[in-house]
Amino acid sequence: VLAVAAAFHDIGLWTDDRIDYLDPSIQRMEEYARDTGRDAHIPLMRDMIALHHKVTTAPLTTMDPLILAFHDADSSAFTFGLVPFDMTTPYRANVAKELPNEGFHTFLVGRTMRHFASGQLLELGPAPMFV
């Protein structure tokens, strides 16, 4: 469940060339889950993807603990560790060393600017963390 949600959680950024990528990411995860016999896990994986960038964790605390853990881990990665999740600073530094950013944030800024410059950003839904 965790591996599938992690693999698909941002995939719509690339496969659908969208900044409002949550729905395309969820659709692609659901197709994969149905094709591979993981239908029973679709609701949990859908929530993990849909809620992974929520600004507030208030509604997440009453859900499956995996949703909150996925949210917290992604928030920590997205903020370069400013949102610390449940890791010590030395451990987080080791994770960053072993799993380098490789330009992901630069990619996001560029993609957002491209959409904004083309006028497409105005046609898209709100940023995923505020949905």
Side-chain angles (χ1 to χ4, degrees):
V1 170
L2 180 58
V4 173
F8 284 91
H9 79 285
D10 288 340
I11 204 164
L13 283 165
W14 293 273
T15 59
D16 295 79
D17 192 29
R18 300 180 63 112
I19 295 300
D20 60 336
Y21 57 87
L22 292 178
D23 286 341
S25 295
I26 290 169
Q27 290 169 357
R28 291 179 183 278
M29 174 278 297
E30 289 178 350
E31 290 171 15
Y32 174 81
R34 281 191 290 277
D35 290 348
T36 59
R38 294 173 170 91
D39 304 58
H41 302 294
I42 288 175
L44 176 59
M45 293 186 294
R46 182 185 308 123
D47 287 346
M48 289 171 70
I49 294 170
L51 301 173
H52 81 276
H53 277 304
K54 286 297 237 184
V55 172
T56 177
T57 59
L60 303 180
T61 57
T62 60
M63 296 183 181
D64 188 295
L66 196 53
I67 296 170
L68 184 58
F70 190 71
H71 170 274
D72 290 350
D74 192 76
S75 295
S76 183
F78 182 75
T79 63
F80 296 104
L82 294 175
V83 175
F85 184 42
D86 192 18
M87 291 186 263
T88 64
T89 300
Y91 182 78
R92 199 168 43 253
N94 284 336
V95 169
K97 181 180 174 185
E98 293 296 319
L99 302 169
N101 180 282
E102 299 295 333
F104 180 66
H105 291 82
T106 303
F107 163 80
L108 287 178
V109 170
R111 177 66 53 95
T112 301
M113 296 308 294
R114 185 173 54 117
H115 280 282
F116 183 72
S118 71
Q120 293 179 24
L121 190 61
L122 300 175
E123 300 170 14
L124 300 176
M129 61 284 297
F130 302 115
V131 175

